[in-house]
Amino acid sequence: MKSLRAVIADDDGLTLMVLRKTLLGMGHQVVGESADGRQAVALVKTTQPDLVFLDIRMPDMDGLEAARQIQAQHPTPVIIVSAYTNPDWGASSGRGAHAYLVKPFTAAQIKPAIELALANFEKSAQLEQRLQQMNEALETRKLVDAPRAFSCARLDWMKRKPI
């Protein structure tokens, strides 16, 4: 795995320290740290990292809202970190998260979470691109079909017999 630039955000200083130490030990860079979601969004905007770790519950702005704003401004793989197990974490993926890491976590759990986030982010980007292509094709089709539909309607009107 190549070296990644990461922003980490958690209101728990111990979690920030563990994440920082683990990421640095894996050969990654920590380009920003935050204790709240609003500051994390600002850090992502200024540092443009390759990866973001967000605690789900933080003051000022929670991790899911921060993830949503990050995806809107600077799409980036996001890993949600939480002390709460959530069997429906897939709901958070619709809000900008690409992987979920449950506290307390070990260093061995971080690498697969990163790999999953990167893979899910790439998959999301491909789906977005495909959706955009399909929408463009639909708009083109509408432009091509509009004159034809008008001509057919006019022809039908001309074929009608007077009463």
Side-chain angles (χ1 to χ4, degrees):
M1 181 184 306
K2 72 172 188 155
S3 177
L4 301 171
R5 300 172 66 250
V7 166
I8 56 178
D10 198 309
D11 57 337
D12 176 35
L14 181 61
T15 302
L16 281 176
M17 182 188 72
V18 169
L19 269 173
R20 181 184 340 99
K21 182 179 176 184
T22 304
L23 290 170
L24 292 173
M26 294 172 69
H28 303 302
Q29 297 175 8
V30 175
V31 295
E33 294 184 27
S34 170
D36 69 73
R38 193 166 311 283
Q39 186 182 12
V41 172
L43 278 171
V44 168
K45 188 175 182 178
T46 59
T47 63
Q48 299 188 348
D50 303 311
L51 181 67
V52 179
F53 286 84
L54 297 171
D55 183 23
I56 202 163
R57 292 194 182 181
M58 292 185 287
D60 200 21
M61 179 189 296
D62 69 36
L64 293 177
E65 177 60 22
R68 189 190 65 70
Q69 288 189 22
I70 288 167
Q71 297 312 326
Q73 295 174 13
H74 179 70
T76 309
V78 171
I79 298 174
I80 293 293
V81 181
S82 178
Y84 307 95
T85 56
N86 184 354
D88 188 29
W89 92 269
S92 62
S93 66
R95 297 183 209 137
H98 300 97
Y100 195 86
L101 192 59
V102 179
K103 296 179 195 176
F105 50 83
T106 64
Q109 293 170 314
I110 293 177
K111 183 178 179 185
I114 291 172
E115 291 170 348
L116 180 62
L118 294 174
N120 284 341
F121 178 77
E122 181 63 29
K123 191 178 201 179
S124 291
Q126 289 172 356
L127 289 172
E128 279 291 325
Q129 184 179 18
R130 180 72 178 129
L131 180 61
Q132 183 178 355
Q133 290 170 346
M134 292 175 76
N135 282 334
E136 288 171 2
L138 178 61
E139 291 304 314
T140 301
R141 182 68 188 242
K142 285 179 184 178
L143 290 173
V144 169
D145 286 348
R148 188 179 342 163
F150 176 75
S151 295
C152 290
R154 186 168 182 231
L155 184 60
D156 283 346
W157 179 78
M158 290 172 60
K159 287 182 179 178
R160 291 184 187 161
K161 294 182 183 178
I163 303 177

